[in-house]
Amino acid sequence: VTNGGKSTLAKNLQKHLPNCSVISQDDFFKPESEIETDKNGFLQYDVLEALNMEEMMSAISCWRENAGCSLVPTEERAEETPILIIEGFLLFNYKPLDTLWNRSYFLTIPYEECKRRRSTRVYKPPDTPGYFDGHVWPMYLKHKQEMEEALTWEIVYLDGTKSEEDLFSQVYEDLTQELAKQKCKYCT
């Protein structure tokens, strides 16, 4: 969900996890001139077509190649396992990413909180009057439903109204436990 805390959580995790990188879907928006407009005059930013997903996939492939992800970690390198956090609002609706997930988290916040947070942000181009109710929130609900209908893996839903610290602690603990399991696989 927009303004749910995805970027903040990803940045906090990156600060605390060794050998961690973040790729943000927001960095792959097409130029405004390439964004379609709906019948109400709203720019269609909340759709996959507004994003250069091929370029994002290329960045992920480049990271995987350069981080040595194809190498099997040895006992000595297990603590330095490269970690890639991919954060964004339409990741689970883009099928080519389905095979990449080791862990998946989905931040949710209620409508009122989402609208309040969105109103405090400055976007380029700026949100036009009625944009949140006429485009952003309906697209979120549509894409969330599509995602849930197509899920073939487990997603952990996180309450985005919790404090940054609580969300960080929850995900950090989960990830460090997963990394410990991975390390044990290579220690036998």
Side-chain angles (χ1 to χ4, degrees):
V1 68
T2 182
N3 294 282
K6 300 175 299 295
S7 298
T8 301
L9 177 59
K11 289 174 188 171
N12 285 338
L13 290 166
Q14 184 179 26
K15 286 179 197 172
H16 293 90
L17 292 168
N19 205 15
C20 181
S21 302
V22 173
I23 292 178
S24 176
Q25 191 175 38
D26 284 352
D27 294 337
F28 297 92
F29 274 107
K30 293 177 181 175
E32 183 180 350
S33 61
E34 295 180 32
I35 305 300
E36 293 193 27
T37 308
D38 73 2
K39 65 182 187 314
N40 298 313
F42 295 133
L43 288 167
Q44 299 294 290
Y45 275 106
D46 291 71
V47 295
L48 281 169
E49 293 76 23
L51 297 150
N52 188 333
M53 293 302 292
E54 295 79 17
E55 188 177 310
M56 184 175 159
M57 291 301 290
S58 179
I60 292 167
S61 294
C62 183
W63 178 89
R64 293 179 80 187
E65 290 169 16
N66 293 322
C69 290
S70 62
L71 301 174
V72 176
T74 65
E75 183 177 345
E76 297 81 38
R77 290 195 314 246
E79 288 187 28
E80 297 176 15
T81 300
I83 300 166
L84 177 61
I85 296 172
I86 307 169
E87 69 91 8
F89 68 107
L90 283 176
L91 299 174
F92 302 139
N93 298 81
Y94 188 66
K95 290 293 176 209
L97 289 169
D98 287 1
T99 60
L100 296 180
W101 310 125
N102 292 77
R103 287 290 204 238
S104 301
Y105 302 95
F106 191 93
L107 279 152
T108 62
I109 53 175
Y111 165 85
E112 296 81 15
E113 178 64 11
C114 188
K115 188 170 185 174
R116 184 193 68 73
R117 290 182 188 183
R118 179 91 181 196
S119 71
T120 66
R121 301 269 302 268
V122 177
Y123 289 93
K124 213 170 181 184
D127 284 356
T128 56
Y131 188 66
F132 181 83
D133 288 319
H135 176 68
V136 175
W137 189 256
M139 293 307 288
Y140 161 68
L141 295 175
K142 175 184 182 277
H143 292 305
K144 183 175 182 267
Q145 180 180 356
E146 289 172 356
M147 173 200 77
E148 289 173 337
E149 289 172 357
L151 276 180
T152 58
W153 68 94
E154 182 183 341
I155 289 184
V156 176
Y157 287 87
L158 301 172
D159 179 355
T161 62
K162 288 184 176 180
S163 71
E164 287 179 26
E165 295 80 15
D166 287 346
L167 287 170
F168 167 78
S169 294
Q170 180 181 351
V171 176
Y172 181 79
E173 182 178 323
D174 185 45
L175 293 177
T176 54
Q177 287 177 5
E178 178 65 20
L179 289 169
K181 287 180 200 173
Q182 293 295 322
K183 181 180 178 183
C184 288
K185 278 196 236 178
Y186 302 111
C187 296
T188 56

